[in-house]
Amino acid sequence: MTESTATLSRSETTASKIIDAAKTLFVARNYADVTTDMIASAAGVTKGGLYHHFPSKESIYSSMMLDDFESKQRLFSQSVDMKGTARERLARLTGDFLALPAEERQMAGLVRRDINIFTDGDRDRLVRAYQLALPNQIEAIIKDGIADGELAPADPRLLSWWFVSLVEVAVSRYADETLGNPETRLDRVLALFFEGAEAKPDPAMSDGGTT
Amino acid sequence: MTESTATLSRSETTASKIIDAAKTLFVARNYADVTTDMIASAAGVTKGGLYHHFPSKESIYSSMMLDDFESKQRLFSQSVDMKGTARERLARLTGDFLALPAEERQMAGLVRRDINIFTDGDRDRLVRAYQLALPNQIEAIIKDGIADGELAPADPRLLSWWFVSLVEVAVSRYADETLGNPETRLDRVLALFFEGAEAKPDPAMSDGGTT
DNA sequence: CTACATACCGACTGACCGGTTTGTTGTATA
DNA sequence: TATACAACAAACCGGTCAGTCGGTATGTAG
């Protein structure tokens, strides 16, 4: 999972086959409805083989999530490190996200759904990894935007959560049909976040309008 | 279940005790992690007693949800029927929502988490009741807002989902600490939805900018 | 070829849980 | 006070599923 193309050992290959199978299953059904037998057979091994590589069902889930968050963290950090306005950087980050295959996108939403199956320690670890991968990076950009006067002063963390939730709606099934291609979705999300839903007079012609 | 204050029969009392217990448990843990024994003992009956009133665990869950949606539907319809700008009506609706006890508020988010435990028919029924209670009513207000030129033309359904997701963030634990009282939260949600996060010159003093 | 390790198989187990059954208590009616 | 039925209790059943365990295959080093 971590090394990309290079030769994987037999063990690593099997482990990543298991993680891949788990991904597909866990995005489609919730934790309790995915059995270890399902994961095993989808990965082309038996339960015995599966438990040779992972000590528990929970460990499969959490290592799957941690791997995913790590890769997302890397992907999105490019937009954070990039220079430009907050809007440009958020556009790139969101664009990168929308360009991901559907499965990878949906993984981001799994934490909220399944988080309560874990107990304290593991839950905190997962949540922290998630925040590192997504909200924290958006928050960094938003902080810059506020400092530069591009965004109105506000709690940056809260704003980043709001932004994430806007994007989550934009990847929903209905938005898929309504907005179509990723560029349109991207534009809508950014426009809504920056300018809101209010009707505005066209800024080109200076004098304005309704009420 | 349907009748509100009047004297409840013994059977109705027990049934509503069961529903109440189920509410607390189902908002705290997901469907699979709540056992019928837990519900029964929290309601002060045994499993036998519980199954005297409900034919299945699913039926407990779904009738709990349907009851809740029905009451929310009634509550929010007042804001829909009210006259005023879209912003005023959304403010009232959101204010009513924020004024609900925490448990009642969180119920609204349960559908998304637990919807996949149901099969086709029941799922559709639940989703339809949810949409009737929340998104559809918000959508009605938004439609008016667009027709009146108060909101920029856009898909009203998508906008209503976006609005719901903003509110959901506003009731999160962190927002609780950051924004404090419901009025502040309400103001932030509305401002963000209508005007966005962008910095704007204060409309009072015509010339702008903190830079 | 031997010895040892790692990878994997698949039958099995023990616990848990949704649902049933059988029996008991309360309560209203006549 | 006998009757009848609803409201519950408690033991029980059947299925499911995470995790185990004894074994077999596939290397790999000496």
Side-chain angles (χ1 to χ4, degrees), chain A residues 9-19 43 45-57 59-60 63:
Chain A
S9 68
R10 183 166 161 215
S11 175
E12 287 167 328
T13 306
T14 308
S16 77
K17 270 199 306 186
I18 291 171
I19 293 285
V45 296
T46 60
K47 195 148 66 172
L50 187 151
Y51 273 90
H52 176 73
H53 293 281
F54 297 93
S56 68
K57 185 185 176 186
S59 76
I60 297 175
S63 77

Side-chain angles (χ1 to χ4, degrees), chain B residues 30 118 141 143 149 206:
Chain B
N30 61 27
F118 291 96
I141 299 178
K143 264 181 182 155
S206 68

Side-chain angles (χ1 to χ4, degrees), chain A residues 6-176:
Chain A
T7 45
L8 296 175
S9 68
R10 183 166 161 215
S11 175
E12 287 167 328
T13 306
T14 308
S16 77
K17 270 199 306 186
I18 291 171
I19 293 285
D20 285 345
K23 267 188 195 173
T24 312
L25 291 168
F26 280 127
V27 299
R29 325 168 77 84
N30 62 26
Y31 185 81
D33 287 346
V34 175
T35 68
T36 52
D37 277 317
M38 290 168 64
I39 302 175
S41 80
V45 296
T46 60
K47 195 148 66 172
L50 187 151
Y51 273 90
H52 176 73
H53 293 281
F54 297 93
S56 68
K57 185 185 176 186
E58 282 195 15
S59 76
I60 297 175
Y61 186 91
S62 75
S63 77
M64 171 192 84
M65 293 298 265
L66 292 174
D67 276 5
D68 182 70
F69 290 152
E70 202 187 332
S71 83
K72 282 194 172 52
Q73 202 270 334
R74 271 200 303 276
L75 173 63
F76 296 146
S77 70
Q78 298 172 7
S79 305
V80 175
D81 297 340
M82 160 189 160
K83 59 175 165 310
T85 64
R87 183 160 186 157
E88 286 163 352
R89 291 156 77 203
L90 284 177
R92 159 125 185 240
L93 187 150
T94 309
D96 285 350
F97 179 74
L98 293 175
L100 290 173
E103 197 173 287
E104 303 278 325
R105 282 185 328 215
Q106 293 186 256
M107 292 275 305
L110 283 196
V111 207
R112 297 206 195 162
R113 194 188 70 191
D114 292 331
I115 195 60
N116 34 7
I117 65 167
F118 291 97
T119 47
D120 308 323
D122 304 290
R123 172 166 42 213
D124 289 354
R125 206 168 309 126
L126 263 182
V127 170
R128 221 172 297 131
Y130 169 72
Q131 290 180 337
L132 220 59
L134 254 179
N136 282 13
Q137 308 216 60
I138 294 174
E139 186 181 341
I141 298 178
I142 287 179
K143 264 181 183 156
D144 290 342
I146 294 175
D148 296 349
E150 183 183 354
L151 288 168
D155 185 275
R157 190 155 166 202
L158 208 48
L159 276 183
S160 74
W161 288 11
W162 265 320
F163 188 80
V164 170
S165 72
L166 290 185
V167 176
E168 268 177 13
V169 172
V171 300
S172 70
R173 190 114 184 287
Y174 178 71
D176 225 9

Side-chain angles (χ1 to χ4, degrees), chain B residues 12 39 52 153 162:
Chain B
E12 287 166 328
I39 301 175
H52 175 71
W162 265 319

Side-chain angles (χ1 to χ4, degrees), chain B residues 173-186:
Chain B
R173 191 115 184 288
Y174 178 70
D176 226 7
E177 302 161 9
T178 312
L179 300 178
N181 62 331
E183 295 86 49
T184 314
R185 281 190 257 191
L186 178 54

Side-chain angles (χ1 to χ4, degrees), chain B residues 129-157:
Chain B
Y130 169 72
Q131 289 179 338
L132 221 57
L134 254 178
N136 282 14
Q137 308 217 61
I138 295 175
E139 186 179 340
I141 299 178
I142 287 180
K143 264 181 182 155
D144 290 343
I146 294 174
D148 295 349
E150 182 184 354
L151 288 168
D155 185 274
R157 188 152 168 204

